[in-house]
Amino acid sequence: MDLSESGGFLPDSLPSPSPSNASVSSTSSNLPQPRTKPLRAGSAKEQAARRYVENKLLHVARRYTKKFEDPEEGDTVTGYVSMKEVANDLSEIIDVLWLSGTPNLQIPYLLNIALTMTTYPTKFPPAPATTFAVLRKLDHAFASLLKGEDYVTGEILPGFMSGRRAGMSQTDMVRCRSIVEDTRVMIVDVMSSEIEPQPETENGGKHDGDGGGGDELGNGADSMNLDGEDDSEYDNDELAMDIARVYESTMMELGERLESGPSIGIGHNDS
């Protein structure tokens, strides 16, 4: 589906690609295929996408806060009970941002999501499969935005046809490096704890949260949910390898960009 030609920003759903027709990019991190062109700054679609993402992030923050509060009568927002629930909600937002093909949306919001991933996993029992699935998406996204092309397939990203000026500023890269370093330290501590069975929600483990904003776009976005991820399949060797791979590609790109300095490509916030 060519989202650049469609009437709305979001498709009716984000189908999980099958191995037979999935791109290399999809099979490595499950990021969806982005639009061919970025959303025009200030356009109705860009504003709708921004509202959608902000409402979804607000909903995630509310559910996280509710985890530590006693339920109130008539409250429609329930607190998270597992990291798997958090990961499903964050994964959906990452997918929408990547679909947008718009660096001005992707960079700040993906950095905010990455920041939440430095703390949220510490408040739940370890959930390796879903936690690493979200971190793989973020790694793929950041490494690609730093290069200006898909890190796996080499395809030029929307908004980068004229080079990497649409990408991260020096400030963005420094912030990203700090988040990456904090996450790598955190993940070692979290995954050192014993893995516990994930509790199920009242509707059987799938939360149908209302993040708001879907109606503003004319249609909703179903995430490529992570319900199929199984923590029981992890052994110690696999766990150690996934811990070592956290933000591996992003670290390589950040090292190259920050060591080379601004002469190789100035970010979108620099002049």
Side-chain angles (χ1 to χ4, degrees):
M1 178 178 183
D2 185 354
L3 298 181
S4 65
E5 300 298 328
S6 61
F9 163 62
L10 296 173
D12 292 334
S13 64
L14 303 178
S16 298
S18 62
S20 60
N21 60 10
S23 65
V24 177
S25 171
S26 296
T27 57
S28 63
S29 69
N30 281 333
L31 284 177
Q33 184 69 26
R35 291 168 49 96
T36 56
K37 296 179 181 179
L39 298 168
R40 182 169 53 84
S43 67
K45 289 183 181 179
E46 193 260 3
Q47 292 175 2
R50 189 181 298 276
R51 285 194 301 270
Y52 181 88
V53 170
E54 288 180 350
N55 285 333
K56 284 288 188 180
L57 287 173
L58 178 60
H59 187 68
V60 169
R62 289 177 65 195
R63 290 199 68 196
Y64 178 73
T65 300
K66 286 291 183 181
K67 166 182 168 58
F68 307 101
E69 299 176 352
D70 294 330
E72 298 180 5
E73 185 176 353
D75 198 341
T76 58
V77 178
T78 59
Y80 287 121
V81 298
S82 70
M83 188 60 204
K84 186 173 184 178
E85 288 184 317
V86 179
N88 269 317
D89 284 352
L90 292 179
S91 180
E92 176 183 341
I93 302 171
I94 295 169
D95 287 343
V96 170
L97 286 167
W98 200 249
L99 272 170
S100 77
T102 308
N104 285 339
L105 293 177
Q106 293 168 334
I107 292 170
Y109 288 122
L110 287 174
L111 284 171
N112 285 343
I113 292 171
L115 183 61
T116 67
M117 286 296 292
T118 64
T119 55
Y120 281 25
T122 67
K123 305 302 181 182
F124 300 92
T130 50
T131 301
F132 287 128
V134 171
L135 292 174
R136 278 194 297 271
K137 284 189 176 187
L138 289 170
D139 187 29
H140 189 162
F142 287 140
S144 299
L145 288 167
L146 285 161
K147 283 178 69 72
E149 61 186 47
D150 188 286
Y151 193 78
V152 175
T153 67
E155 297 175 8
I156 302 298
L157 295 180
F160 287 84
M161 296 303 179
S162 300
R164 293 194 292 197
R165 291 187 62 86
M168 290 190 186
S169 68
Q170 195 80 359
T171 301
D172 292 330
M173 287 188 280
V174 171
R175 184 186 179 201
C176 186
R177 182 173 63 180
S178 176
I179 290 172
V180 165
E181 292 171 349
D182 289 346
T183 304
R184 286 176 61 84
V185 172
M186 175 276 299
I187 208 70
V188 172
D189 292 337
V190 168
M191 296 304 165
S192 297
S193 304
E194 184 177 352
I195 298 174
E196 301 177 8
Q198 293 295 306
E200 289 192 356
T201 56
E202 293 181 359
N203 59 0
K206 293 184 180 180
H207 171 73
D208 186 18
D210 177 17
D215 291 339
E216 295 174 349
L217 300 179
N219 43 26
D222 297 330
S223 69
M224 294 179 184
N225 70 61
L226 308 177
D227 290 326
E229 302 287 353
D230 186 1
D231 292 325
S232 65
E233 297 178 357
Y234 265 83
D235 58 33
N236 289 336
D237 290 340
E238 185 178 7
L239 188 63
M241 289 178 63
D242 275 344
I243 290 173
R245 292 191 189 110
V246 169
Y247 285 128
E248 183 178 42
S249 301
T250 302
M251 287 193 302
M252 292 177 61
E253 288 302 313
L254 282 171
E256 176 187 332
R257 294 292 302 275
L258 290 173
E259 289 175 10
S260 299
S263 61
I264 67 167
I266 302 176
H268 67 295
N269 291 330
D270 296 334
S271 57

